[in-house]
Coordinates of all heavy atoms in Angstrom, one line a residue:
P1 N 115.7 -134.9 -45.6 CA 115.5 -134.7 -44.2 C 116.1 -133.5 -43.6 O 117.1 -132.9 -44.2 CB 116.1 -136.0 -43.6 CG 116.3 -136.9 -44.7 CD 116.4 -136.2 -45.9
A2 N 115.6 -133.1 -42.5 CA 116.1 -131.8 -41.9 C 117.5 -131.9 -41.5 O 118.2 -130.9 -41.4 CB 115.2 -131.5 -40.7
S3 N 118.0 -133.1 -41.2 CA 119.4 -133.2 -40.8 C 120.4 -132.7 -41.8 O 121.5 -132.4 -41.5 CB 119.7 -134.6 -40.4 OG 119.5 -135.5 -41.5
R4 N 120.0 -132.7 -43.1 CA 120.8 -132.2 -44.1 C 121.2 -130.7 -43.9 O 122.2 -130.3 -44.4 CB 120.2 -132.5 -45.5 CG 120.1 -133.9 -45.8 CD 119.9 -134.2 -47.3 NE 120.0 -135.6 -47.6 CZ 121.1 -136.3 -47.8 NH1 122.2 -135.7 -47.8 NH2 121.0 -137.6 -48.0
D5 N 120.4 -130.0 -43.3 CA 120.6 -128.6 -43.0 C 121.6 -128.4 -41.8 O 122.1 -127.3 -41.6 CB 119.3 -127.8 -42.7 CG 118.4 -127.7 -43.9 OD1 118.9 -127.8 -45.0 OD2 117.2 -127.6 -43.7
L6 N 121.8 -129.4 -41.0 CA 122.6 -129.4 -39.8 C 124.0 -130.0 -40.1 O 125.0 -129.6 -39.4 CB 121.9 -130.1 -38.7 CG 120.6 -129.6 -38.3 CD1 119.9 -130.5 -37.3 CD2 120.6 -128.1 -37.9
I7 N 124.1 -130.8 -41.0 CA 125.4 -131.6 -41.2 C 126.1 -131.1 -42.4 O 125.6 -130.9 -43.5 CB 125.1 -133.1 -41.4 CG1 124.4 -133.7 -40.2 CG2 126.4 -133.9 -41.7 CD1 125.1 -133.7 -38.9
E8 N 127.4 -130.8 -42.2 CA 128.3 -130.5 -43.2 C 129.2 -131.7 -43.4 O 130.0 -132.1 -42.5 CB 129.2 -129.3 -42.9 CG 130.1 -128.8 -44.1 CD 130.8 -127.6 -43.8 OE1 130.5 -126.8 -42.8 OE2 131.8 -127.4 -44.5
P9 N 129.0 -132.4 -44.6 CA 129.7 -133.7 -44.7 C 131.2 -133.7 -44.5 O 131.9 -132.8 -45.0 CB 129.4 -134.1 -46.2 CG 128.1 -133.3 -46.5 CD 128.2 -132.1 -45.7
D10 N 131.6 -134.7 -43.8 CA 133.1 -134.8 -43.4 C 133.6 -133.7 -42.6 O 134.8 -133.6 -42.4 CB 133.9 -135.0 -44.7 CG 133.5 -136.2 -45.4 OD1 133.3 -137.3 -44.8 OD2 133.4 -136.2 -46.7
V11 N 132.7 -132.9 -42.0 CA 133.1 -131.8 -41.1 C 132.6 -132.0 -39.7 O 133.3 -132.2 -38.8 CB 132.8 -130.4 -41.6 CG1 133.1 -129.3 -40.5 CG2 133.4 -130.1 -42.9
N12 N 131.3 -132.2 -39.7 CA 130.6 -132.5 -38.4 C 129.6 -133.6 -38.4 O 128.8 -133.9 -37.6 CB 129.8 -131.2 -37.8 CG 128.6 -130.9 -38.7 OD1 128.6 -131.1 -39.9 ND2 127.6 -130.4 -38.1
G13 N 129.8 -134.5 -39.5 CA 129.0 -135.7 -39.6 C 129.1 -136.3 -41.0 O 129.9 -135.8 -41.8
L14 N 128.3 -137.2 -41.3 CA 128.2 -137.9 -42.5 C 126.8 -137.9 -43.0 O 125.9 -138.0 -42.2 CB 128.8 -139.3 -42.4 CG 130.2 -139.6 -42.0 CD1 130.4 -141.0 -41.8 CD2 131.1 -139.0 -43.0
L15 N 126.6 -137.7 -44.3 CA 125.3 -137.8 -44.9 C 125.3 -139.0 -45.9 O 126.3 -139.1 -46.7 CB 124.9 -136.5 -45.6 CG 124.7 -135.3 -44.7 CD1 124.5 -134.0 -45.6 CD2 123.5 -135.5 -43.8
L16 N 124.3 -139.7 -45.9 CA 124.2 -140.9 -46.8 C 123.2 -140.5 -47.8 O 122.0 -140.2 -47.6 CB 123.8 -142.1 -46.1 CG 124.7 -142.6 -44.9 CD1 124.0 -143.7 -44.2 CD2 126.0 -143.0 -45.5
D17 N 123.6 -140.6 -49.1 CA 122.6 -140.5 -50.2 C 121.8 -141.7 -50.5 O 120.7 -141.6 -51.0 CB 123.3 -140.0 -51.5 CG 123.9 -138.6 -51.3 OD1 123.3 -137.7 -50.7 OD2 125.0 -138.4 -51.9
D18 N 122.4 -142.8 -50.1 CA 121.7 -144.1 -50.4 C 121.7 -145.0 -49.1 O 122.8 -145.4 -48.7 CB 122.4 -144.8 -51.6 CG 121.7 -146.1 -51.9 OD1 120.7 -146.4 -51.4 OD2 122.2 -146.7 -52.8
V19 N 120.6 -145.2 -48.6 CA 120.5 -146.1 -47.4 C 119.7 -147.3 -47.7 O 119.1 -147.9 -46.8 CB 119.9 -145.3 -46.1 CG1 120.8 -144.2 -45.7 CG2 118.5 -144.8 -46.5
S20 N 119.8 -147.7 -49.0 CA 118.9 -148.8 -49.4 C 119.4 -150.2 -49.0 O 118.7 -151.1 -49.0 CB 118.8 -148.8 -51.0 OG 120.1 -148.9 -51.5
T21 N 120.7 -150.3 -48.6 CA 121.2 -151.6 -48.1 C 121.8 -151.4 -46.7 O 122.5 -150.3 -46.5 CB 122.2 -152.1 -49.1 OG1 123.4 -151.2 -49.1 CG2 121.6 -152.2 -50.5
P22 N 121.9 -152.4 -45.9 CA 122.5 -152.4 -44.7 C 124.0 -152.2 -44.8 O 124.7 -151.6 -44.0 CB 122.2 -153.7 -44.1 CG 121.0 -154.3 -44.7 CD 121.1 -153.6 -46.1
E23 N 124.6 -152.7 -45.9 CA 126.0 -152.5 -46.1 C 126.4 -151.1 -46.2 O 127.5 -150.7 -45.8 CB 126.4 -153.3 -47.4 CG 126.4 -154.8 -47.2 CD 124.9 -155.3 -47.4 OE1 124.1 -154.6 -48.0 OE2 124.7 -156.5 -47.1
R24 N 125.6 -150.3 -46.9 CA 126.0 -148.8 -47.1 C 125.9 -148.1 -45.8 O 126.8 -147.3 -45.5 CB 125.0 -148.2 -48.1 CG 125.2 -148.6 -49.5 CD 124.3 -147.9 -50.4 NE 124.3 -148.4 -51.8 CZ 125.1 -148.0 -52.7 NH1 125.9 -147.0 -52.5 NH2 125.1 -148.6 -54.0
V25 N 124.9 -148.4 -45.0 CA 124.8 -147.8 -43.7 C 126.0 -148.3 -42.8 O 126.6 -147.5 -42.1 CB 123.5 -148.2 -43.0 CG1 123.4 -147.6 -41.6 CG2 122.3 -147.6 -43.8
A26 N 126.3 -149.6 -42.8 CA 127.4 -150.1 -42.0 C 128.7 -149.5 -42.4 O 129.5 -149.2 -41.6 CB 127.5 -151.6 -42.2
N27 N 128.9 -149.3 -43.7 CA 130.2 -148.6 -44.2 C 130.3 -147.2 -43.6 O 131.3 -146.8 -43.2 CB 130.3 -148.6 -45.7 CG 130.5 -150.0 -46.3 OD1 131.1 -150.8 -45.6 ND2 130.2 -150.2 -47.5
A28 N 129.2 -146.5 -43.6 CA 129.3 -145.1 -43.1 C 129.5 -145.1 -41.6 O 130.2 -144.3 -41.1 CB 127.9 -144.4 -43.4
M29 N 128.9 -146.1 -40.9 CA 129.1 -146.2 -39.5 C 130.6 -146.6 -39.2 O 131.2 -146.0 -38.3 CB 128.2 -147.2 -38.9 CG 126.7 -146.7 -38.9 SD 125.6 -148.1 -38.4 CE 126.0 -148.1 -36.6
R30 N 131.1 -147.4 -40.0 CA 132.5 -147.8 -39.9 C 133.5 -146.6 -40.1 O 134.4 -146.4 -39.4 CB 132.9 -148.9 -40.8 CG 134.2 -149.6 -40.6 CD 134.4 -150.8 -41.5 NE 133.4 -151.8 -41.4 CZ 132.5 -152.1 -42.3 NH1 132.4 -151.4 -43.5 NH2 131.6 -153.0 -42.1
Q31 N 133.1 -145.9 -41.2 CA 133.9 -144.7 -41.5 C 133.9 -143.7 -40.3 O 134.9 -143.2 -39.9 CB 133.4 -144.0 -42.8 CG 134.1 -142.7 -43.2 CD 133.5 -142.1 -44.3 OE1 132.5 -142.6 -45.0 NE2 133.9 -140.9 -44.7
A32 N 132.7 -143.5 -39.8 CA 132.6 -142.5 -38.6 C 133.4 -143.1 -37.4 O 134.0 -142.3 -36.7 CB 131.2 -142.3 -38.3
A33 N 133.3 -144.4 -37.2 CA 134.0 -145.0 -36.0 C 135.5 -144.9 -36.2 O 136.2 -144.7 -35.2 CB 133.6 -146.4 -35.9
Q34 N 136.0 -144.9 -37.4 CA 137.4 -144.9 -37.6 C 138.0 -143.5 -37.8 O 139.2 -143.4 -37.7 CB 137.8 -145.7 -38.8 CG 137.5 -147.2 -38.7 CD 137.6 -148.0 -39.9 OE1 137.7 -147.5 -41.0 NE2 137.6 -149.4 -39.8
N35 N 137.2 -142.5 -37.9 CA 137.6 -141.2 -38.2 C 137.6 -140.3 -36.9 O 136.6 -139.7 -36.5 CB 136.8 -140.5 -39.3 CG 137.3 -139.2 -39.7 OD1 138.0 -138.5 -39.0 ND2 137.1 -138.9 -41.0
R36 N 138.7 -140.3 -36.2 CA 138.8 -139.7 -34.9 C 138.6 -138.2 -35.0 O 137.9 -137.5 -34.2 CB 140.1 -139.9 -34.2 CG 140.3 -139.3 -32.9 CD 141.7 -139.7 -32.3 NE 141.9 -141.1 -32.4 CZ 142.1 -141.9 -31.3 NH1 142.2 -141.2 -30.1 NH2 142.3 -143.1 -31.3
D37 N 139.1 -137.5 -36.1 CA 139.0 -136.1 -36.3 C 137.5 -135.7 -36.5 O 137.1 -134.7 -36.0 CB 139.8 -135.6 -37.5 CG 141.3 -135.7 -37.2 OD1 141.7 -135.7 -36.0 OD2 142.1 -135.8 -38.1
L38 N 136.8 -136.5 -37.3 CA 135.4 -136.2 -37.6 C 134.6 -136.3 -36.3 O 133.8 -135.4 -36.0 CB 134.8 -137.2 -38.6 CG 133.3 -137.1 -38.9 CD1 133.0 -135.8 -39.5 CD2 132.9 -138.3 -39.8
R39 N 134.9 -137.3 -35.4 CA 134.1 -137.4 -34.2 C 134.4 -136.3 -33.3 O 133.5 -135.7 -32.6 CB 134.4 -138.8 -33.5 CG 133.9 -140.0 -34.3 CD 134.0 -141.3 -33.5 NE 135.1 -141.4 -32.7 CZ 136.3 -142.0 -33.1 NH1 136.4 -142.4 -34.3 NH2 137.3 -142.2 -32.3
A40 N 135.7 -135.8 -33.2 CA 136.1 -134.7 -32.4 C 135.4 -133.5 -32.8 O 134.9 -132.7 -32.0 CB 137.6 -134.6 -32.3
Q41 N 135.4 -133.2 -34.1 CA 134.7 -132.0 -34.6 C 133.2 -132.1 -34.4 O 132.6 -131.0 -34.0 CB 135.0 -131.9 -36.2 CG 136.4 -131.5 -36.4 CD 136.7 -131.4 -37.9 OE1 137.8 -131.3 -38.3 NE2 135.7 -131.4 -38.8
A42 N 132.6 -133.2 -34.6 CA 131.2 -133.3 -34.4 C 130.9 -133.1 -32.9 O 129.9 -132.4 -32.5 CB 130.7 -134.7 -34.8
K43 N 131.7 -133.6 -32.0 CA 131.5 -133.4 -30.6 C 131.5 -131.9 -30.1 O 130.7 -131.6 -29.3 CB 132.6 -134.2 -29.8 CG 132.4 -134.2 -28.3 CD 133.5 -135.0 -27.7 CE 133.4 -134.9 -26.1 NZ 134.4 -135.7 -25.5
T44 N 132.3 -131.1 -30.8 CA 132.4 -129.8 -30.4 C 131.4 -128.9 -31.2 O 130.8 -128.0 -30.6 CB 133.8 -129.2 -30.5 OG1 134.2 -129.3 -31.8 CG2 134.8 -129.9 -29.7
Q45 N 131.2 -129.2 -32.5 CA 130.4 -128.3 -33.3 C 128.9 -128.6 -33.2 O 128.1 -127.6 -33.2 CB 130.8 -128.5 -34.7 CG 132.1 -127.9 -35.1 CD 132.4 -128.0 -36.5 OE1 131.6 -128.4 -37.4 NE2 133.7 -127.8 -36.9
N46 N 128.5 -129.8 -33.1 CA 127.1 -130.2 -33.1 C 126.2 -129.6 -31.9 O 125.2 -129.1 -32.1 CB 126.9 -131.7 -33.3 CG 127.3 -132.1 -34.6 OD1 127.5 -131.3 -35.6 ND2 127.5 -133.4 -34.8
P47 N 126.8 -129.7 -30.7 CA 126.0 -129.0 -29.6 C 125.8 -127.5 -29.9 O 124.7 -127.0 -29.6 CB 126.8 -129.3 -28.4 CG 127.6 -130.5 -28.7 CD 127.9 -130.4 -30.2
K48 N 126.8 -126.8 -30.4 CA 126.7 -125.4 -30.7 C 125.6 -125.2 -31.8 O 124.9 -124.3 -31.7 CB 128.0 -124.9 -31.1 CG 129.1 -124.9 -30.0 CD 130.4 -124.4 -30.6 CE 131.5 -124.6 -29.5 NZ 132.8 -124.3 -30.0
I49 N 125.6 -126.0 -32.8 CA 124.6 -125.9 -33.9 C 123.2 -126.0 -33.3 O 122.4 -125.2 -33.7 CB 125.0 -126.9 -35.0 CG1 126.3 -126.5 -35.7 CG2 123.8 -126.9 -36.0 CD1 126.8 -127.6 -36.6
I50 N 123.0 -127.1 -32.5 CA 121.7 -127.3 -31.9 C 121.3 -126.1 -31.1 O 120.2 -125.7 -31.1 CB 121.7 -128.6 -31.2 CG1 122.0 -129.8 -32.1 CG2 120.4 -128.8 -30.5 CD1 121.0 -129.9 -33.3
Q51 N 122.2 -125.7 -30.2 CA 121.9 -124.6 -29.3 C 121.5 -123.4 -30.0 O 120.6 -122.6 -29.7 CB 123.1 -124.4 -28.4 CG 122.8 -123.3 -27.3 CD 123.9 -123.1 -26.4 OE1 125.0 -123.6 -26.6 NE2 123.7 -122.5 -25.2
D52 N 122.2 -123.1 -31.2 CA 122.0 -121.9 -31.9 C 120.7 -122.0 -32.7 O 119.8 -121.0 -32.7 CB 123.1 -121.6 -32.8 CG 122.9 -120.3 -33.7 OD1 122.6 -119.3 -33.1 OD2 123.0 -120.4 -34.9
R53 N 120.5 -123.1 -33.4 CA 119.3 -123.2 -34.3 C 118.0 -123.5 -33.6 O 117.0 -123.3 -34.2 CB 119.6 -124.2 -35.4 CG 120.8 -123.8 -36.3 CD 120.6 -124.2 -37.6 NE 121.8 -124.0 -38.4 CZ 122.1 -124.7 -39.5 NH1 121.3 -125.7 -39.9 NH2 123.1 -124.4 -40.2
F54 N 118.1 -124.1 -32.4 CA 116.9 -124.6 -31.8 C 116.7 -124.0 -30.5 O 116.0 -124.5 -29.6 CB 116.9 -126.2 -31.7 CG 116.9 -126.8 -33.0 CD1 118.1 -127.3 -33.6 CD2 115.8 -126.9 -33.8 CE1 118.1 -127.9 -34.8 CE2 115.8 -127.5 -35.0 CZ 116.9 -128.0 -35.5
D55 N 117.2 -122.8 -30.3 CA 117.0 -122.0 -29.0 C 115.6 -121.5 -29.1 O 115.2 -120.6 -29.9 CB 118.0 -120.9 -29.0 CG 117.8 -120.1 -27.7 OD1 116.9 -119.3 -27.6 OD2 118.7 -120.2 -26.8
N56 N 114.7 -122.0 -28.2 CA 113.3 -121.5 -28.1 C 113.1 -120.0 -27.9 O 112.3 -119.4 -28.6 CB 112.5 -122.3 -27.1 CG 112.3 -123.8 -27.5 OD1 112.3 -124.1 -28.6 ND2 112.1 -124.6 -26.5
T57 N 113.9 -119.4 -27.1 CA 113.7 -118.0 -26.8 C 114.1 -117.2 -28.0 O 113.3 -116.3 -28.5 CB 114.6 -117.6 -25.6 OG1 114.2 -118.4 -24.5 CG2 114.5 -116.2 -25.3
K58 N 115.2 -117.5 -28.6 CA 115.6 -116.8 -29.8 C 114.7 -117.0 -31.0 O 114.3 -116.1 -31.7 CB 117.0 -117.4 -30.2 CG 117.6 -116.7 -31.4 CD 119.0 -117.3 -31.7 CE 119.5 -116.9 -33.1 NZ 120.7 -117.6 -33.5
N59 N 114.2 -118.3 -31.2 CA 113.3 -118.5 -32.3 C 111.9 -117.9 -32.1 O 111.3 -117.4 -33.0 CB 113.1 -120.0 -32.5 CG 114.4 -120.7 -33.0 OD1 115.2 -120.0 -33.6 ND2 114.5 -122.0 -32.8
L60 N 111.5 -117.8 -30.8 CA 110.2 -117.2 -30.5 C 110.3 -115.7 -30.8 O 109.4 -115.0 -31.4 CB 109.7 -117.4 -29.1 CG 108.4 -116.8 -28.7 CD1 107.3 -117.3 -29.6 CD2 108.1 -117.1 -27.3
R61 N 111.4 -115.0 -30.4 CA 111.6 -113.6 -30.6 C 111.6 -113.3 -32.1 O 111.0 -112.4 -32.6 CB 113.0 -113.2 -30.0 CG 113.2 -111.7 -30.0 CD 114.5 -111.4 -29.3 NE 114.8 -112.0 -28.1 CZ 115.9 -112.9 -27.9 NH1 116.7 -113.0 -28.9 NH2 116.0 -113.4 -26.7
T62 N 112.3 -114.2 -32.9 CA 112.3 -114.0 -34.3 C 111.0 -114.1 -35.0 O 110.6 -113.3 -35.8 CB 113.3 -115.0 -35.0 OG1 114.6 -114.8 -34.4 CG2 113.4 -114.9 -36.5
F63 N 110.3 -115.1 -34.5 CA 108.9 -115.3 -35.0 C 108.0 -114.1 -34.7 O 107.3 -113.6 -35.6 CB 108.3 -116.6 -34.3 CG 106.8 -116.8 -34.7 CD1 106.5 -117.3 -35.8 CD2 105.8 -116.3 -33.8 CE1 105.1 -117.5 -36.2 CE2 104.5 -116.5 -34.1 CZ 104.1 -117.1 -35.3
I64 N 108.1 -113.6 -33.5 CA 107.3 -112.4 -33.1 C 107.6 -111.2 -33.9 O 106.8 -110.5 -34.4 CB 107.3 -112.1 -31.6 CG1 106.6 -113.3 -30.8 CG2 106.8 -110.8 -31.3 CD1 106.9 -113.3 -29.3
E65 N 108.9 -110.9 -34.1 CA 109.4 -109.8 -34.8 C 108.9 -109.9 -36.3 O 108.4 -108.9 -36.9 CB 110.9 -109.7 -34.9 CG 111.5 -109.3 -33.6 CD 113.0 -109.5 -33.5 OE1 113.7 -109.9 -34.5 OE2 113.6 -109.2 -32.5
R66 N 109.0 -111.1 -36.9 CA 108.5 -111.3 -38.3 C 107.0 -111.2 -38.4 O 106.5 -110.5 -39.4 CB 109.0 -112.6 -38.8 CG 110.4 -112.7 -39.0 CD 110.9 -114.0 -39.6 NE 112.3 -114.0 -39.8 CZ 113.1 -115.0 -40.1 NH1 112.4 -116.1 -40.3 NH2 114.3 -115.0 -40.2
Y67 N 106.3 -111.7 -37.4 CA 104.8 -111.6 -37.4 C 104.4 -110.1 -37.3 O 103.5 -109.7 -38.0 CB 104.2 -112.4 -36.3 CG 102.8 -112.3 -36.2 CD1 102.0 -113.1 -37.0 CD2 102.1 -111.4 -35.3 CE1 100.6 -113.1 -37.0 CE2 100.7 -111.4 -35.3 CZ 100.0 -112.2 -36.0 OH 98.6 -112.2 -36.0
Q68 N 105.0 -109.3 -36.4 CA 104.7 -107.9 -36.2 C 105.0 -107.1 -37.5 O 104.3 -106.2 -37.9 CB 105.4 -107.4 -35.0 CG 104.9 -107.9 -33.7 CD 105.7 -107.4 -32.5 OE1 106.9 -107.1 -32.6 NE2 105.0 -107.4 -31.4
R69 N 106.1 -107.5 -38.2 CA 106.4 -106.8 -39.4 C 105.4 -107.0 -40.5 O 105.0 -106.2 -41.2 CB 107.8 -107.3 -39.9 CG 108.4 -106.4 -41.0 CD 109.9 -106.7 -41.3 NE 110.6 -107.4 -40.3 CZ 111.3 -108.6 -40.4 NH1 111.3 -109.1 -41.6 NH2 111.9 -109.2 -39.5
L70 N 105.0 -108.3 -40.6 CA 103.9 -108.6 -41.5 C 102.6 -108.0 -41.2 O 101.8 -107.6 -42.1 CB 103.7 -110.2 -41.6 CG 104.9 -110.9 -42.3 CD1 104.6 -112.4 -42.1 CD2 104.9 -110.6 -43.8
A71 N 102.3 -107.8 -39.9 CA 101.1 -107.2 -39.4 C 101.1 -105.7 -39.6 O 100.2 -105.0 -39.2 CB 100.7 -107.7 -38.0
G72 N 102.3 -105.2 -39.8 CA 102.4 -103.7 -40.0 C 102.6 -103.0 -38.6 O 102.2 -101.9 -38.5
K73 N 103.1 -103.7 -37.7 CA 103.3 -103.1 -36.3 C 104.7 -102.7 -36.1 O 105.6 -103.2 -36.5 CB 102.8 -104.0 -35.2 CG 101.3 -104.2 -35.3 CD 100.9 -105.1 -34.1 CE 99.4 -105.3 -34.2 NZ 98.9 -106.0 -33.0

């Protein structure tokens, strides 16, 4: 999933390799709930990551620049 590109495990979130059982998901949720530092880092880092990677103006500018380069302009 795309979220794997946004999350650095144990830094700004948790990634689950196996979500086949409710127990595994519950354990990860419990871990996140009990890890105050992880939650604090996620709270500060994740909005910045989203703002940077999903900024429409910035992404459109990049798209146009690349398109023009490919078109030879």
Side-chain angles (χ1 to χ4, degrees):
S3 59
R4 292 197 174 275
D5 294 335
L6 303 173
I7 301 296
E8 186 176 342
D10 299 317
V11 175
N12 68 325
L14 298 173
L15 292 174
L16 299 172
D17 291 324
D18 183 1
V19 294
S20 62
T21 65
E23 291 81 14
R24 290 182 188 268
V25 176
N27 286 337
M29 292 174 69
R30 189 175 303 109
Q31 180 184 354
Q34 294 172 347
N35 189 332
R36 183 182 303 244
D37 291 337
L38 176 64
R39 291 192 322 272
Q41 287 176 195
K43 182 179 178 179
T44 58
Q45 291 181 14
N46 292 343
K48 293 175 186 174
I49 292 169
I50 297 301
Q51 185 177 14
D52 182 52
R53 296 212 188 157
F54 297 101
D55 180 288
N56 286 336
T57 302
K58 179 181 171 184
N59 290 338
L60 181 59
R61 186 178 319 118
T62 301
F63 172 81
I64 291 170
E65 287 170 0
R66 289 179 182 175
Y67 180 82
Q68 288 175 336
R69 195 171 338 127
L70 287 171
K73 293 184 178 185

